[in-house]
């Protein structure tokens, strides 16, 4: 685990001391299958951590274990230093937003938001005031009396967020809350969740399988794979210094090319590239190279353009090398290669991550 | 620790609770059936048990005293076939037509098809008696004419079975695809829609069979002979045989419904596989 | 569309003859028969029998549905119970009467067992199996399965997330059931209850096979009226009784749709 801890300065200082959460060696088995396999993660006070990983990697399980919706088989979970393993869900003081719509259908939006306050025996007048304020925070002040089926998917998730936050919980848990929404609403609500989270300074665990979402919303991103965390770091770290090709592949796009590590350098098609992890032992490896780290040049590797597509602010071009290897490059829109055109490409020399060639790379999970 | 079961359904009962409830009610509900079996095994007034009556019934090959039952069974089967035919030839095309061409009539059709459930069979008989007086004059008083009446009483069941299949299949797109490929309406119906709706139609047909074989009210009050009315007649003469036949009929109906249940099961499996394929693409 | 007509015509005729008498005229005499004390008693019998068995059936059936919640919908337990319910609810009829004669008839297994083992004579005060009281147990025997069939989908539709949301919001198990599950289920439960009532009210086969003499409930009185036209000295009593039944059924269905539209406030 080479998690570099780089404390990011909060844009707005938390208004109250946030909560610290720590998972230590948590194990969770479902009928012999390990969904969490010695899971370690700490959430600092007031930060938003995104749990990113392919489907089935154990993200939801990690979140549910923290909420107390699943029991653990081993390891400990502490909130502000106190072990909560024996604490029932209703006593853990967490706000949770589910992937599928979970508003109570027989209650209006306002009554849904009031539910947690009612459980805490808050007086009706104050309940109503706080519910209204919470709905206002998510921009739905005039939807107090609507029922779930009268709201769009995005609005339902907003109400669910208001419902989760109105009790001022210690930790906010979100399990792919945006995955059922369409692209535009998704981005909108994502930014709004980030705004509210920063304003409240509430410690947040955000589960997603969408890398853009994770990079956009989180102070730190934890990438999960097969019940474990592969790397934790700020979005920038993960992108520019992925610990493994799995991360490189999962966070952003990358080319995977056969290469050789020799005395702390990776050799690919006659070019020597710096390694992100200089302690990599010598031997044949798979090298991950970002598409923006390959460029067209006057001379270099001879290649033929296969296809080129316009992506708005940039262009992505696929080329085939003489030996049949396919590479893709990202570059400015002004360069416009034609299919069939002969070109030369070079590696810019940015540090790369590698993985030994072997069964491990075959078992690679793709999403 | 929070009372969750292994499969994560937080409101589901624990294994113990489930076993207690089902065990208790199961035992109570088993008593009458056990009593029926016990009844058929009684060896005369002296006490003790044997299987003589069962053996006698099967060895006789339904001749002699049991002959009327066999005739009645034949009647019921014929009625079931007739009713299934009516449903297949009239209900299925109507439903498809409404589904594809006249979606606005769907509410009307649904209402019409569910209506018979709110009209007790005994009330229907009152209305049918004069109708059948006319029918008998025109078509004779054959048992098969009852199929018209049964066609109505089974409507809700058949409708529900077929509709649930219809909801799961994108009939409109299938039809449009077939039409763009040059198929006429007849071919669309026979080659494209019916195969896709096979499960619903089959389930509907089985339910119709079960309902018709179990029907008593209309046949009895219109003085027609079918399986159930014959059972009542037999029970007056030979209660033991009536109970044996009832047990057999109940077992048969149970198997029939089990098959219907199985018909429904694979459908969910296929659709799950289909979404998986989509997810990978 | 011609099909619609084919279906509608017999149905309408059936209802029509219920409303009017055989001669085609609407006579008040027919309707007045409904005011007869004998007829009123029959309707009253039918009413309490249906209400009682509907309530018991609904409660017991709901308990079975609850017990089945954790079981896989396509597992062997569910499919077996579903099929059994279907048989008992829709196919039983005449055969259920035989079953109860074999169980609690004069020579029934349970009757004899209680008499021989505990010296308990369940027919001490007369044989009640062939009266309205005797119909209670057989009716419950098909009401419970009908409840299982109609109520299971509603119970199945409870989302686990609601229970989980309740827990994360600080709610207890009790608050889940009383504040979420029961209110959400109430419309379906009452709907099923009304359906059970209608089912018992209109059921004929079991009663007819069990009770060969007398007409304690409305369907049996219709039988009597159909077989002997001069009952109570009135013609077309069957039509009047059928009309009465339709009125009761209509009221039940109106109640049902009123309930639906009330629930529609928060349902799609
Ligand atoms: N209730 C459960 N019963 C059995 N297996 C489960 C259950 N929940 C999750 N799993 C299994 O645990 C693994 C991790 O699941 P999950 O945490 O939901 O993954 P993710 O949220 O990353 O997609 C999966 O292989 C899944 O099949
Ligand atoms: Mg998940």
């Amino acid at each position: 685990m080479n998690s570099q801890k780089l404390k990011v300065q909060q844009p707005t200082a938390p208004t109250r001391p946030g909560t610290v959460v720590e998972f230590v060696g948590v194990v969770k088995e479902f009928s012999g299958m390990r969904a969490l396999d010695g899971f370690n993660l700490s959430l600092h006070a007031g930060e938003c951590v995104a749990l990113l990983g392919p489907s089935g990697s154990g993200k939801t399980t990690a979140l549910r274990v923290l909420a107390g919706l699943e029991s653990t088989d081993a390891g400990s979970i502490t909130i502000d230093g106190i072990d909560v393993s024996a604490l029932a869900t209703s006593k853990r003081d967490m706000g949770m937003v589910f992937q599928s719509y979970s508003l109570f259908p027989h209650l209006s939006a306002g009554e849904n938001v009031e539910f947690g306050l009612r459980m805490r025996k808050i007086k009706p007048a104050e309940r109503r005031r706080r519910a209204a304020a919470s709905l206002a925070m998510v921009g739905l002040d005039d939807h107090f009396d609507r029922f779930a089926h009268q709201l769009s998917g995005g609005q339902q998730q907003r109400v669910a967020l208001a419902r989760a936050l109105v009790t001022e919980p210690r930790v906010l848990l979100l399990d792919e809350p945006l995955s059922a929404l369409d692209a535009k609403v998704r981005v909108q609500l994502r930014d709004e969740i980030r705004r509210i989270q920063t304003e409240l300074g509430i410690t947040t665990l955000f589960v997603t399988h969408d890398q853009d979402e994770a990079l956009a919303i989180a102070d730190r991103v934890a990438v999960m794979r097969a019940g474990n965390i592969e790397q934790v770091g700020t979005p920038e770290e993960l992108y520019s210094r992925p610990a493994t090709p799995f991360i490189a592949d999962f966070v952003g796009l990358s080319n995977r090319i056969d290469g050789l590590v020799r005395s702390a350098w990776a050799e690919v098609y006659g070019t020597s590239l710096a390694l992100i992890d200089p302690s990599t032992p010598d031997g044949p490896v798979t090298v991950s190279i970002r598409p923006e780290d390959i460029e067209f040049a006057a001379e270099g590797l001879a290649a033929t353009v296969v296809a080129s597509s316009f992506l708005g602010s940039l262009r992505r071009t696929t080329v085939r090398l003489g030996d049949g290897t396919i590479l893709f490059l990202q570059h400015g829109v002004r360069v416009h290669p034609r299919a069939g055109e002969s070109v030369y490409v070079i590696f810019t020399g940015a540090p790369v991550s590698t993985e030994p060639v072997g069964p491990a790379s075959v078992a690679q999970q793709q999403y | 620790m929070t009372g969750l079961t292994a499969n994560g359904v937080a409101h589901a009962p624990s294994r113990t609770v489930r076993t207690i409830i089902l065990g208790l009610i199961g035992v109570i509900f088993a008593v009458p059936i056990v009593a029926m079996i016990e009844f058929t095994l009684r060896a005369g007034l002296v006490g003790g048990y044997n299987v003589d009556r069962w053996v006698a019934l099967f060895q006789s090959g339904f001749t002699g005293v049991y002959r009327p039952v066999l005739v009645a069974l034949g009647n019921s089967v014929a009625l079931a076939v007739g009713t299934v035919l009516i449903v297949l030839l009239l209900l299925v095309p109507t439903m498809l037509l409404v589904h594809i061409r006249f979606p606005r009539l769907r509410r009307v059709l649904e209402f019409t098809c569910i209506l018979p459930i709110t009209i007790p069979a005994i009330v229907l008989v009152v209305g049918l008696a004069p109708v059948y007086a006319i029918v008998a004059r025109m078509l004779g008083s054959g048992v098969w004419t009852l199929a018209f009446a049964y066609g109505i009483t089974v409507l809700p069941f058949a409708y529900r079975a077929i509709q649930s299949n219809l909801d799961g299949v994108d009939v409109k797109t299938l039809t449009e695809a077939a039409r763009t490929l040059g198929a006429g309406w007849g071919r669309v119906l026979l080659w494209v829609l019916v195969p896709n709706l096979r499960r619903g139609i089959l389930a509907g047909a089985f339910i119709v069979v079960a309902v018709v074989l179990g029907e008593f009210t209309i046949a009895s009050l219109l003085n027609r002979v079918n399986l159930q009315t014959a059972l009542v007649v037999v029970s007056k003469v030979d209660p033991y045989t009536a109970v044996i036949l009832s047990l057999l009929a109940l077992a048969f109906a149970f198997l029939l419904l089990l098959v219907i249940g199985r018909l429904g099961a694979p459908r969910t499996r296929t659709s799950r596989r289909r979404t998986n394929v989509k997810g990978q693409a | 569309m011609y099909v619609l007509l084919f279906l509608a015509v017999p149905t309408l005729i059936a209802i029509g003859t219920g409303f009017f008498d055989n001669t085609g005229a609407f006579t008040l005499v027919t309707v007045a028969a409904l005011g007869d004390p004998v007829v009123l008693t029959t309707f009253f019998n039918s009413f309490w029998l249906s209400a009682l068995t509907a309530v018991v059936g609904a409660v017991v059936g709901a308990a079975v549905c609850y017990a089945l919640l954790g079981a896989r919908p396509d597992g062997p337990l569910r499919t077996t119970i579903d099929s059994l319910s279907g048989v008992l609810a829709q196919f039983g009829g005449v055969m259920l009467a035989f079953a109860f004669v074999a169980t609690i008839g004069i020579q029934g297994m349970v009757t004899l067992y209680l008499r021989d083992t505990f010296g308990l004579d369940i027919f001490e005060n007369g044989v009640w199996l062939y009266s309205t009281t005797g119909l209670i147990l057989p009716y419950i025997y098909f009401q419970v399965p009908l409840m299982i069939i109609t109520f299971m989908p509603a119970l199945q539709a409870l989302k686990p997330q609601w229970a989980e949301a309740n827990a994360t919001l600080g709610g207890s198990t009790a608050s889940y059931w009383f504040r979420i599950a029961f209110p959400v289920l109430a419309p379906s439960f009452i709907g099923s209850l009304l359906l059970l009532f209608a089912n018992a009210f209109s059921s004929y086969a079991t009663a007819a096979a069990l009770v060969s003499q007398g007409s304690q409930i409305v369907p049996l009185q219709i039988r009597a009226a159909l077989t002997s036209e001069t009952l109570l000295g009135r013609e077309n009593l069957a039509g009047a009784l059928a009309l009465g039944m339709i009125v009761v059924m209509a009221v039940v269905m109106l109640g049902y749709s009123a309930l639906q539209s009330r629930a529609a406030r928060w349902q799609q």
Side-chain angles (χ1 to χ4, degrees):
Chain A
M1 210 66 37
N2 47 351
S3 60
Q4 292 100 335
K5 290 203 178 100
L6 198 144
K7 189 75 189 123
V8 176
Q9 201 56 47
Q10 293 285 334
T12 328
T15 48
R16 61 198 162 86
T19 303
V20 180
V21 175
E22 197 133 17
F23 291 84
V24 181
V26 174
V27 174
K28 174 70 190 173
E29 288 192 2
F30 289 110
S31 48
M33 209 219 68
R34 287 206 164 189
L36 291 181
D37 191 8
F39 180 85
N40 296 303
L41 177 67
S42 30
L43 309 186
H44 309 318
E47 81 170 338
C48 176
V49 172
L51 209 47
L52 175 67
S55 178
S57 56
K59 308 179 297 290
T60 297
T61 308
L63 184 113
R64 290 173 60 87
V65 157
L66 174 56
L69 295 169
E70 306 277 4
S71 58
T72 53
D73 294 323
S76 74
I77 299 173
T78 57
I79 299 179
D80 281 342
I82 298 160
D83 193 311
V84 294
S85 302
L87 210 57
T89 302
S90 54
K91 302 279 185 303
R92 289 199 189 186
D93 194 14
M94 309 232 161
M96 183 156 173
V97 178
F98 298 83
Q99 177 172 7
S100 59
Y101 306 129
S102 62
L103 293 188
F104 304 132
H106 62 300
L107 300 179
S108 70
E111 290 166 333
N112 261 283
V113 178
E114 282 184 33
F115 190 89
L117 300 172
R118 191 186 285 267
M119 293 298 113
R120 285 164 178 75
K121 309 227 173 353
I122 309 260
K123 294 263 167 4
E126 189 192 345
R127 220 159 61 199
R128 207 180 153 80
R129 189 184 53 74
R130 280 172 66 178
S134 195
L135 275 176
M137 181 177 66
V138 297
L140 290 177
D141 13 6
D142 48 352
H143 290 64
F144 197 95
D145 294 320
R146 298 274 188 94
F147 290 97
H149 74 98
Q150 297 167 316
L151 298 169
S152 70
Q155 290 173 331
Q156 288 192 43
Q157 290 301 64
R158 279 167 201 263
V159 176
L161 184 65
R163 183 176 71 177
L165 287 172
V166 74
T167 57
E168 296 174 2
R170 292 189 290 178
V171 184
L172 176 62
L173 307 174
L174 304 119
D175 188 1
E176 311 208 14
L178 309 173
S179 63
L181 310 177
D182 52 44
K184 197 152 185 186
V185 182
R186 196 151 63 209
V187 171
Q188 224 172 34
L189 191 48
R190 172 186 91 190
D191 295 344
E192 206 161 327
I193 291 176
R194 178 55 166 164
R195 172 185 63 80
I196 292 168
Q197 188 270 331
T198 330
E199 268 169 25
L200 299 178
I202 183 172
T203 309
T204 300
L205 188 57
F206 185 102
V207 163
T208 178
H209 66 254
D210 184 290
Q211 46 143 324
D212 292 337
E213 216 166 274
L215 299 181
I217 208 163
D219 296 312
R220 289 190 303 145
V221 176
V223 183
M224 274 195 86
R225 180 185 186 181
N228 244 315
I229 288 187
E230 188 114 337
Q231 185 178 7
V232 192
T234 63
E236 294 80 4
E237 282 169 354
L238 282 180
Y239 193 82
S240 56
R241 304 180 67 82
T244 62
F246 172 77
I247 307 275
D249 218 37
F250 205 75
V251 182
L253 284 165
S254 67
N255 291 285
R256 297 163 64 83
I257 313 169
D258 292 338
L260 195 66
V261 170
R262 199 167 343 149
S263 27
W265 286 85
E267 290 180 11
V268 185
Y269 290 109
T271 310
S272 289
L273 300 171
L275 289 167
I276 290 175
D277 179 7
S279 64
T280 312
D282 289 1
V285 290
T286 302
V287 180
S288 289
I289 303 180
R290 296 279 180 208
E292 61 269 30
D293 292 338
I294 308 178
E295 288 176 349
F296 293 115
E299 54 184 30
L301 285 168
T304 314
V305 175
V306 177
S308 180
S309 45
F310 175 68
L311 301 178
S313 58
L314 49 84
R315 181 172 275 285
R316 186 175 301 151
T317 300
T318 314
V319 300
R320 185 188 291 116
L321 299 182
D323 63 357
T325 306
I326 298 280
L327 293 180
F328 49 100
L329 302 76
Q330 230 153 269
H331 51 85
V333 288
R334 263 185 281 271
V335 185
H336 187 178
R338 309 273 163 196
E341 202 176 318
S342 290
V343 293
Y344 293 97
V345 299
I346 56 164
F347 302 113
T348 58
V352 293
S353 62
T354 64
E355 188 174 55
V357 177
S361 66
V362 179
Q364 190 69 252
Q365 275 170 293
Q366 286 277 346
Y367 190 77
Chain B
M1 55 183 176
T2 45
L4 298 182
T5 53
N7 55 18
V9 183
H11 49 250
S14 70
R15 250 196 130 67
T16 334
V17 173
R18 183 201 305 174
T19 316
I20 290 173
I21 296 179
L22 290 185
L24 197 70
I25 296 173
V27 166
I28 292 174
F29 269 71
V31 169
I33 302 293
V34 172
M36 283 173 96
I37 298 173
E38 190 258 7
F39 186 70
T40 63
L41 296 179
R42 285 185 196 170
L45 294 172
V46 289
Y49 296 104
N50 60 37
V51 292
D52 285 356
R53 294 179 211 285
W54 289 77
V55 174
L57 180 66
F58 284 107
Q59 276 178 351
S60 73
F62 289 96
T63 50
V65 214
Y66 311 121
R67 180 116 196 98
V69 175
L70 206 58
V71 173
L73 184 63
N75 283 350
S76 275
V77 170
L79 276 174
V81 172
T83 313
V84 167
L85 281 181
I86 289 179
V87 167
L88 286 190
L89 296 181
L90 294 180
L91 182 62
V92 174
T94 310
M95 286 181 69
L96 283 174
L97 216 59
V98 167
H99 197 88
I100 302 164
R101 299 284 294 274
F102 310 101
R104 268 197 242 126
L105 288 174
R106 179 157 166 195
R107 292 257 150 251
V108 180
L109 182 67
E110 183 167 355
F111 179 77
T112 313
C113 289
I114 299 301
L115 193 65
I117 233 176
T118 65
I119 301 169
I122 184 89
V123 168
L124 207 56
V125 166
V126 175
L128 281 172
V131 174
Y132 266 89
I134 301 167
V135 169
R137 227 174 297 141
M138 292 186 337
L139 303 169
S141 56
V143 184
W144 62 272
T145 51
L146 273 186
F148 292 125
Y150 288 174
I152 288 168
T153 57
V154 301
L155 262 187
F157 304 102
Y159 176 83
R160 279 226 305 265
I162 299 171
Q163 187 63 42
S164 73
N165 195 172
L166 211 52
D167 289 338
V169 174
D170 191 352
V171 172
K172 214 167 155 55
T173 311
L174 277 180
T175 311
E176 281 163 6
R179 300 273 293 161
T180 57
L181 293 172
W185 280 111
R187 287 190 186 199
V188 170
L189 195 69
L190 277 184
W191 290 6
V192 179
L193 297 183
V194 170
N196 273 292
L197 297 173
R198 206 184 56 230
R199 285 212 174 81
I201 294 175
L202 223 52
F206 280 153
I207 290 175
V208 168
V209 170
V211 170
V212 173
L213 291 187
E215 209 288 326
F216 172 74
T217 310
I218 296 176
S220 147
L221 290 173
L222 291 180
N223 293 316
R224 304 296 202 278
V225 176
N226 75 0
L227 180 62
Q228 303 294 325
T229 59
L231 278 180
V232 172
V233 173
V234 171
S235 77
K236 302 252 159 71
V237 189
D238 179 358
Y240 297 104
T241 306
V243 172
I244 291 181
L245 292 172
S246 297
L247 279 171
L248 291 177
L250 287 172
F252 174 74
F254 172 65
L255 289 178
L256 204 62
L257 291 187
L258 212 53
V259 171
I260 297 176
R262 285 268 173 276
L263 278 179
R267 185 173 55 221
T268 53
R269 219 169 294 142
T270 2
S271 68
R272 208 175 298 143
R273 191 164 57 225
R274 216 173 284 141
T275 49
N276 271 354
V277 169
K278 225 181 275 164
Q280 282 156 9
Chain C
M1 290 315 92
Y2 64 98
V3 182
L4 264 182
L5 274 179
F6 176 82
L7 301 174
V9 166
T11 317
L12 285 178
I13 290 177
I15 303 170
T17 31
F19 273 98
F20 301 97
D21 62 28
N22 274 355
T23 57
F26 186 86
T27 53
L28 281 176
V29 183
T30 319
V31 182
L34 291 177
D36 190 285
V38 178
V39 176
L40 281 181
T41 311
T42 331
F43 266 95
F44 179 73
N45 280 343
S46 263
F47 195 86
W48 73 254
L49 175 68
S50 306
L52 178 71
T53 60
V55 170
V56 175
V59 171
V60 177
V64 174
C65 291
Y66 168 70
L68 287 175
L69 251 192
R72 277 186 36 211
D74 50 353
L77 181 67
R78 274 291 303 277
T79 43
T80 307
I81 291 185
D82 284 353
S83 307
L84 274 180
S85 305
V87 172
L88 296 182
Q90 288 162 352
F91 186 75
V94 170
M95 291 161 285
L96 290 190
F98 297 165
F100 277 86
V101 171
T103 312
I104 50 172
I106 298 164
Q107 290 297 316
M109 183 176 85
V110 173
T111 316
L112 296 182
Y113 177 76
L114 290 179
R115 194 190 64 196
D116 298 344
T117 317
F118 302 105
L120 197 72
D121 183 5
I122 57 171
F123 294 130
E124 211 165 1
N125 303 317
V127 180
W128 44 260
L129 179 61
Y130 306 104
S131 67
T132 324
T133 329
L135 290 176
I136 296 176
L137 284 178
Y139 272 37
I140 288 174
Y141 203 71
F142 64 67
Q143 295 279 57
V144 171
L146 186 64
M147 184 66 181
I148 296 175
I149 295 173
T150 56
F151 191 58
M152 196 66 219
L155 208 53
Q156 196 93 57
L158 284 181
K159 288 195 196 173
Q161 283 84 5
W162 293 336
E164 293 175 358
N166 167 64
T168 58
L169 290 169
S172 59
T173 309
S175 79
Y176 169 69
W177 284 107
F178 287 102
R179 292 198 180 276
I180 300 166
F182 288 159
V184 168
L185 291 174
S188 325
F189 183 84
I190 298 174
S192 298
L193 188 73
L194 288 178
L195 194 72
L196 258 59
F197 177 87
N199 182 49
F201 199 79
S202 58
S203 169
Y204 169 75
T206 308
L210 205 55
V211 185
S212 49
Q213 233 99 78
S215 37
Q216 296 83 351
I217 59 172
V218 182
L220 291 186
Q221 199 158 51
I222 292 183
R223 169 178 73 177
L226 278 179
T227 41
S228 73
E229 284 289 331
T230 53
L231 192 87
L232 287 181
R234 285 194 182 84
E235 291 197 355
N236 279 312
L237 181 64
L241 290 168
L243 176 66
M245 277 191 92
I246 287 186
V247 168
V248 172
M249 295 297 278
V251 168
V252 171
M253 287 302 145
L254 276 182
Y256 185 78
S257 67
L259 182 82
Q260 293 290 314
S261 58
R262 243 193 73 80
R265 211 164 55 97
W266 53 267
Q267 281 170 341
Q268 271 90 332

